[in-house]
Amino acid sequence: MKRSQLRRGAAALLLAAALPLPLAATAVAAPAPPAAAAVSVAPAVSATATRLTLPAPTGPYAVGRDTLHLTDPQRRDPWVPAAGARELMVSLYYPAHRGTGRARAPYMTTEEARLLLEGDKLTGVVAPEALAGTRTHARTGARPIGGRHPLVVLSPGFTLNRATLSLLAEELTSRGYVVALLDHAYESFGTTFPGGRTLTCVACRAVESAPESTARKLMAKVATGRAADIRFVLDTLTGRGAGASTETGHGQGTPARRYAGLVDPRRIGVAGHSIGGNSAASAMAADRRIRAGVNMDGTFFAPVPPGGLDGRPFLMLGSLDGHAPAAEDTTWLRDWRRLDGWKRWLTVRDAGHFTFIDIPVLGAQLGVTDPTAPLPGKRSGEITRDYVGAFFDRHLRGRPEPVLDGPTADHPEVLFQRP
C-alpha cells in the first residue's frame, strides 16, 4: 500500500483550478496522489467568474438541514484524550415541505475551506471563499415532512470535511431519507465546532509520521473509532442517547433527539467514502441495527469479520484502476469473499478515488480535467447518485432496482465484478 493511499488530499483537484494560474504553479504546490498528478485547468476560469453549485436533487421532496454538535460522555477522544468527551459535528438533513425554510444552508465555513487549502499546500492559490461559497439546495428552518423515514449515516474520507459528501446527502434526502453527515473530531484538516473552535487533523499527523505498518494500524483505528461514532449517532437520533445538542444560528441548544420522531429505527443504512467506507463496514459488524452499507473506494484497513455481516447487504463501489479484483488493494477481494449476504462489487471506468464525492462535480464547473481520471464531473455525480440511491431504495425501502442487477446501456462505465 503506497503512502499516497493512506493520505488522500482530495481537495487538490478542485482547488488547484479555482484561479487561472499556470499548471506548473499548482503542480509544485502539493504532493498530490496519483489521481491528481496531471490536472489541466481552463485558462480563463476564475473563482469570481464561476459560482460553484451542487447539482439539483432529483427526488420529490425539498431538503431541510440542521447542524448538530454531539458529545459522547462515555468516550474520550482517541486522538486528544485531554480534550475530554468525543465530539462530532453533524449536518442533519431531512425531507421538507417545499416553500418552507429560510436561507440556503452553507457548504462549509471559510475557516474550514482555508484549512483544507492549507492542508493540501495550496495557500495563496485560491481564496477560501470560493469553496466555502458553494451553493447548496438545503434550507435551514424548513418544515419536516411528517412520518418516519429511513436513516442513512454518511462518513467522509480521511482529511476531508463532511461537506464533500453534500451532493449525495441532498440527493438521498430529496428521495425521502433522513441523512446524518458526520465530521469526526481531529480527523479532518479543519472542522468548525461551537464556541469559536476549529479543530485540525491530529490523526493525519499521526498517520503521516508513522512507518507504513503502523500507519495501517492507525487507519484501522480510524475506521473502528468512526464505527463507535456512528453507533452513538444512531443512539442519539433514535432517542436513546444523551449529551447531544442542536446548534442553531442563534447559538441556542435543543436536544438532537427531537429528530427521533422522523427516523424509522428499523430502516438504517450507512455509507462512506475512503476510510468512511471502511467505517461503514465496521459499524455494521458492531451494530445489527444497521441493515445495509456502502463502501465508496475505501481500503478495508479494519477487515470485515471472517463470519461476514450476518447476511446483511453491502455494496462496494470503486474505481476500476484502484479496486478491480487484480488491483493493488487486495483488501477488497479478501473482504468480498467474507460478505455473506446480498452484495455487489461495482467498478467505474475512467474513475478516480474522488469520483464518488463532490470534488469532480465542482471541479468540472471550474474547467478541471484530469487525464488519469477522465470521467466527466457531471457523470461522476450521476453514477454515485444513481447506484447508492438505488442500493438504499432496494434494501431500506423494498423497491425493485434493476440497475443493480447487471450492466445497463444508461451506465456503460459501470462494471459488475464477479471474482
Side-chain angles (χ1 to χ4, degrees), residues 29 44 60 71 94 146 148 185 190 194 224 251 253 276 316 348 385-386 390-391 402 418:
T71 57
Y94 54 88
R148 291 184 178 270
T224 55
M316 293 158 48
V348 182
R385 173 197 73 196
D386 291 351
F391 173 80
R418 295 182 173 88

PDB file of all heavy atoms in Angstrom, residues 29 44 60 71 94 146 148 185 190 194 224 251 253 276 316 348 385-386 390-391 402 418:
ATOM      1  N   ALA A  29       2.702  22.844  -5.784  1.00  0.00           N
ATOM      2  CA  ALA A  29       2.133  23.345  -4.537  1.00  0.00           C
ATOM      3  C   ALA A  29       1.842  22.244  -3.548  1.00  0.00           C
ATOM      4  O   ALA A  29       1.807  22.491  -2.358  1.00  0.00           O
ATOM      5  CB  ALA A  29       0.836  24.117  -4.837  1.00  0.00           C
ATOM      6  N   ALA A  44      -9.157  30.466 -18.667  1.00  0.00           N
ATOM      7  CA  ALA A  44      -9.987  31.639 -18.419  1.00  0.00           C
ATOM      8  C   ALA A  44     -10.811  31.524 -17.155  1.00  0.00           C
ATOM      9  O   ALA A  44     -11.542  32.439 -16.805  1.00  0.00           O
ATOM     10  CB  ALA A  44     -10.914  31.876 -19.613  1.00  0.00           C
ATOM     11  N   PRO A  60     -38.635  13.979  -4.968  1.00  0.00           N
ATOM     12  CA  PRO A  60     -39.834  14.825  -4.878  1.00  0.00           C
ATOM     13  C   PRO A  60     -39.858  15.780  -3.690  1.00  0.00           C
ATOM     14  O   PRO A  60     -40.705  16.680  -3.653  1.00  0.00           O
ATOM     15  CB  PRO A  60     -40.968  13.804  -4.756  1.00  0.00           C
ATOM     16  CG  PRO A  60     -40.334  12.612  -4.099  1.00  0.00           C
ATOM     17  CD  PRO A  60     -38.925  12.563  -4.633  1.00  0.00           C
ATOM     18  N   THR A  71     -21.813  15.283  21.633  1.00  0.00           N
ATOM     19  CA  THR A  71     -20.714  14.843  22.500  1.00  0.00           C
ATOM     20  C   THR A  71     -21.113  13.529  23.154  1.00  0.00           C
ATOM     21  O   THR A  71     -22.248  13.371  23.605  1.00  0.00           O
ATOM     22  CB  THR A  71     -20.387  15.883  23.581  1.00  0.00           C
ATOM     23  OG1 THR A  71     -21.573  16.164  24.356  1.00  0.00           O
ATOM     24  CG2 THR A  71     -19.897  17.176  22.968  1.00  0.00           C
ATOM     25  N   TYR A  94     -33.199  16.401   6.303  1.00  0.00           N
ATOM     26  CA  TYR A  94     -34.495  15.744   6.431  1.00  0.00           C
ATOM     27  C   TYR A  94     -35.413  16.198   5.301  1.00  0.00           C
ATOM     28  O   TYR A  94     -35.297  17.331   4.797  1.00  0.00           O
ATOM     29  CB  TYR A  94     -35.135  16.070   7.788  1.00  0.00           C
ATOM     30  CG  TYR A  94     -35.252  17.553   8.077  1.00  0.00           C
ATOM     31  CD1 TYR A  94     -36.372  18.280   7.659  1.00  0.00           C
ATOM     32  CD2 TYR A  94     -34.229  18.226   8.738  1.00  0.00           C
ATOM     33  CE1 TYR A  94     -36.480  19.634   7.910  1.00  0.00           C
ATOM     34  CE2 TYR A  94     -34.323  19.591   8.988  1.00  0.00           C
ATOM     35  CZ  TYR A  94     -35.457  20.287   8.576  1.00  0.00           C
ATOM     36  OH  TYR A  94     -35.559  21.641   8.816  1.00  0.00           O
ATOM     37  N   GLY A 146     -43.931  14.901   7.681  1.00  0.00           N
ATOM     38  CA  GLY A 146     -44.288  14.028   8.792  1.00  0.00           C
ATOM     39  C   GLY A 146     -44.031  12.561   8.496  1.00  0.00           C
ATOM     40  O   GLY A 146     -43.736  12.160   7.366  1.00  0.00           O
ATOM     41  N   ARG A 148     -42.229   8.624   9.648  1.00  0.00           N
ATOM     42  CA  ARG A 148     -40.889   8.099   9.914  1.00  0.00           C
ATOM     43  C   ARG A 148     -40.206   7.728   8.601  1.00  0.00           C
ATOM     44  O   ARG A 148     -40.822   7.113   7.726  1.00  0.00           O
ATOM     45  CB  ARG A 148     -40.957   6.891  10.843  1.00  0.00           C
ATOM     46  CG  ARG A 148     -41.381   7.262  12.275  1.00  0.00           C
ATOM     47  CD  ARG A 148     -41.345   6.060  13.181  1.00  0.00           C
ATOM     48  NE  ARG A 148     -41.699   6.410  14.557  1.00  0.00           N
ATOM     49  CZ  ARG A 148     -40.821   6.779  15.483  1.00  0.00           C
ATOM     50  NH1 ARG A 148     -39.526   6.833  15.176  1.00  0.00           N
ATOM     51  NH2 ARG A 148     -41.205   7.073  16.696  1.00  0.00           N
ATOM     52  N   ALA A 185     -14.078  14.525  15.095  1.00  0.00           N
ATOM     53  CA  ALA A 185     -13.084  15.458  15.635  1.00  0.00           C
ATOM     54  C   ALA A 185     -11.660  14.983  15.380  1.00  0.00           C
ATOM     55  O   ALA A 185     -11.355  13.793  15.518  1.00  0.00           O
ATOM     56  CB  ALA A 185     -13.302  15.648  17.143  1.00  0.00           C
ATOM     57  N   GLY A 190      -9.766  20.557   8.879  1.00  0.00           N
ATOM     58  CA  GLY A 190     -10.393  21.583   9.689  1.00  0.00           C
ATOM     59  C   GLY A 190     -11.886  21.384   9.789  1.00  0.00           C
ATOM     60  O   GLY A 190     -12.572  21.241   8.778  1.00  0.00           O
ATOM     61  N   PRO A 194     -18.688  24.564  17.874  1.00  0.00           N
ATOM     62  CA  PRO A 194     -19.218  25.735  18.589  1.00  0.00           C
ATOM     63  C   PRO A 194     -18.170  26.373  19.496  1.00  0.00           C
ATOM     64  O   PRO A 194     -17.182  25.745  19.882  1.00  0.00           O
ATOM     65  CB  PRO A 194     -20.370  25.149  19.410  1.00  0.00           C
ATOM     66  CG  PRO A 194     -20.767  23.907  18.678  1.00  0.00           C
ATOM     67  CD  PRO A 194     -19.500  23.358  18.098  1.00  0.00           C
ATOM     68  N   THR A 224     -12.495   1.905  13.131  1.00  0.00           N
ATOM     69  CA  THR A 224     -13.257   1.375  14.266  1.00  0.00           C
ATOM     70  C   THR A 224     -13.727   2.492  15.196  1.00  0.00           C
ATOM     71  O   THR A 224     -14.801   2.401  15.797  1.00  0.00           O
ATOM     72  CB  THR A 224     -12.419   0.355  15.048  1.00  0.00           C
ATOM     73  OG1 THR A 224     -11.171   0.942  15.445  1.00  0.00           O
ATOM     74  CG2 THR A 224     -12.124  -0.871  14.186  1.00  0.00           C
ATOM     75  N   GLY A 251     -27.157  30.295  18.331  1.00  0.00           N
ATOM     76  CA  GLY A 251     -26.364  29.768  19.431  1.00  0.00           C
ATOM     77  C   GLY A 251     -27.180  29.117  20.522  1.00  0.00           C
ATOM     78  O   GLY A 251     -26.710  28.909  21.633  1.00  0.00           O
ATOM     79  N   GLY A 253     -29.288  25.886  22.122  1.00  0.00           N
ATOM     80  CA  GLY A 253     -29.216  24.438  22.004  1.00  0.00           C
ATOM     81  C   GLY A 253     -30.539  23.768  22.336  1.00  0.00           C
ATOM     82  O   GLY A 253     -31.219  24.137  23.297  1.00  0.00           O
ATOM     83  N   GLY A 276     -14.133   6.374   5.319  1.00  0.00           N
ATOM     84  CA  GLY A 276     -15.531   6.369   5.727  1.00  0.00           C
ATOM     85  C   GLY A 276     -16.270   5.148   5.234  1.00  0.00           C
ATOM     86  O   GLY A 276     -17.190   4.657   5.892  1.00  0.00           O
ATOM     87  N   MET A 316     -19.959  -2.479  -2.711  1.00  0.00           N
ATOM     88  CA  MET A 316     -18.610  -1.958  -2.901  1.00  0.00           C
ATOM     89  C   MET A 316     -18.577  -1.252  -4.246  1.00  0.00           C
ATOM     90  O   MET A 316     -18.770  -1.869  -5.289  1.00  0.00           O
ATOM     91  CB  MET A 316     -17.595  -3.100  -2.848  1.00  0.00           C
ATOM     92  CG  MET A 316     -17.501  -3.741  -1.463  1.00  0.00           C
ATOM     93  SD  MET A 316     -16.819  -5.446  -1.436  1.00  0.00           S
ATOM     94  CE  MET A 316     -15.360  -5.280  -2.434  1.00  0.00           C
ATOM     95  N   VAL A 348     -15.935   1.522 -11.792  1.00  0.00           N
ATOM     96  CA  VAL A 348     -16.316   2.541 -12.761  1.00  0.00           C
ATOM     97  C   VAL A 348     -15.116   2.884 -13.642  1.00  0.00           C
ATOM     98  O   VAL A 348     -14.055   3.277 -13.136  1.00  0.00           O
ATOM     99  CB  VAL A 348     -16.837   3.796 -12.050  1.00  0.00           C
ATOM    100  CG1 VAL A 348     -17.292   4.844 -13.072  1.00  0.00           C
ATOM    101  CG2 VAL A 348     -17.986   3.443 -11.102  1.00  0.00           C
ATOM    102  N   ARG A 385     -25.004   9.088  -7.427  1.00  0.00           N
ATOM    103  CA  ARG A 385     -26.417   9.292  -7.064  1.00  0.00           C
ATOM    104  C   ARG A 385     -27.258   8.072  -7.427  1.00  0.00           C
ATOM    105  O   ARG A 385     -28.039   7.568  -6.612  1.00  0.00           O
ATOM    106  CB  ARG A 385     -26.926  10.521  -7.815  1.00  0.00           C
ATOM    107  CG  ARG A 385     -28.417  10.793  -7.702  1.00  0.00           C
ATOM    108  CD  ARG A 385     -28.850  11.754  -8.803  1.00  0.00           C
ATOM    109  NE  ARG A 385     -28.876  11.093 -10.107  1.00  0.00           N
ATOM    110  CZ  ARG A 385     -28.920  11.744 -11.260  1.00  0.00           C
ATOM    111  NH1 ARG A 385     -28.903  13.067 -11.280  1.00  0.00           N
ATOM    112  NH2 ARG A 385     -28.971  11.067 -12.396  1.00  0.00           N
ATOM    113  N   ASP A 386     -27.096   7.567  -8.657  1.00  0.00           N
ATOM    114  CA  ASP A 386     -27.977   6.507  -9.143  1.00  0.00           C
ATOM    115  C   ASP A 386     -27.734   5.182  -8.431  1.00  0.00           C
ATOM    116  O   ASP A 386     -28.690   4.475  -8.077  1.00  0.00           O
ATOM    117  CB  ASP A 386     -27.802   6.327 -10.653  1.00  0.00           C
ATOM    118  CG  ASP A 386     -28.348   7.509 -11.449  1.00  0.00           C
ATOM    119  OD1 ASP A 386     -29.012   8.383 -10.848  1.00  0.00           O
ATOM    120  OD2 ASP A 386     -28.104   7.564 -12.663  1.00  0.00           O
ATOM    121  N   ALA A 390     -30.073   3.797  -5.528  1.00  0.00           N
ATOM    122  CA  ALA A 390     -30.780   2.552  -5.843  1.00  0.00           C
ATOM    123  C   ALA A 390     -30.533   1.490  -4.780  1.00  0.00           C
ATOM    124  O   ALA A 390     -31.450   0.730  -4.413  1.00  0.00           O
ATOM    125  CB  ALA A 390     -30.337   2.034  -7.208  1.00  0.00           C
ATOM    126  N   PHE A 391     -29.305   1.414  -4.281  1.00  0.00           N
ATOM    127  CA  PHE A 391     -28.976   0.420  -3.256  1.00  0.00           C
ATOM    128  C   PHE A 391     -29.844   0.617  -2.014  1.00  0.00           C
ATOM    129  O   PHE A 391     -30.447  -0.338  -1.501  1.00  0.00           O
ATOM    130  CB  PHE A 391     -27.501   0.510  -2.901  1.00  0.00           C
ATOM    131  CG  PHE A 391     -27.096  -0.353  -1.737  1.00  0.00           C
ATOM    132  CD1 PHE A 391     -26.875  -1.710  -1.905  1.00  0.00           C
ATOM    133  CD2 PHE A 391     -26.951   0.187  -0.470  1.00  0.00           C
ATOM    134  CE1 PHE A 391     -26.510  -2.515  -0.833  1.00  0.00           C
ATOM    135  CE2 PHE A 391     -26.587  -0.606   0.616  1.00  0.00           C
ATOM    136  CZ  PHE A 391     -26.372  -1.969   0.428  1.00  0.00           C
ATOM    137  N   PRO A 402     -33.633  -2.443 -10.962  1.00  0.00           N
ATOM    138  CA  PRO A 402     -32.938  -3.249 -11.983  1.00  0.00           C
ATOM    139  C   PRO A 402     -31.515  -2.792 -12.255  1.00  0.00           C
ATOM    140  O   PRO A 402     -30.696  -3.604 -12.723  1.00  0.00           O
ATOM    141  CB  PRO A 402     -33.829  -3.071 -13.219  1.00  0.00           C
ATOM    142  CG  PRO A 402     -35.183  -2.723 -12.682  1.00  0.00           C
ATOM    143  CD  PRO A 402     -34.919  -1.925 -11.447  1.00  0.00           C
ATOM    144  N   ARG A 418     -17.335 -10.087 -10.732  1.00  0.00           N
ATOM    145  CA  ARG A 418     -17.772 -11.356 -10.149  1.00  0.00           C
ATOM    146  C   ARG A 418     -16.559 -12.269 -10.017  1.00  0.00           C
ATOM    147  O   ARG A 418     -16.415 -13.253 -10.748  1.00  0.00           O
ATOM    148  CB  ARG A 418     -18.856 -12.004 -11.014  1.00  0.00           C
ATOM    149  CG  ARG A 418     -20.144 -11.179 -11.061  1.00  0.00           C
ATOM    150  CD  ARG A 418     -21.222 -11.857 -11.889  1.00  0.00           C
ATOM    151  NE  ARG A 418     -22.488 -11.149 -11.808  1.00  0.00           N
ATOM    152  CZ  ARG A 418     -22.855 -10.144 -12.604  1.00  0.00           C
ATOM    153  NH1 ARG A 418     -22.014  -9.738 -13.571  1.00  0.00           N
ATOM    154  NH2 ARG A 418     -24.039  -9.556 -12.461  1.00  0.00           N
TER     155      ARG A 418
END
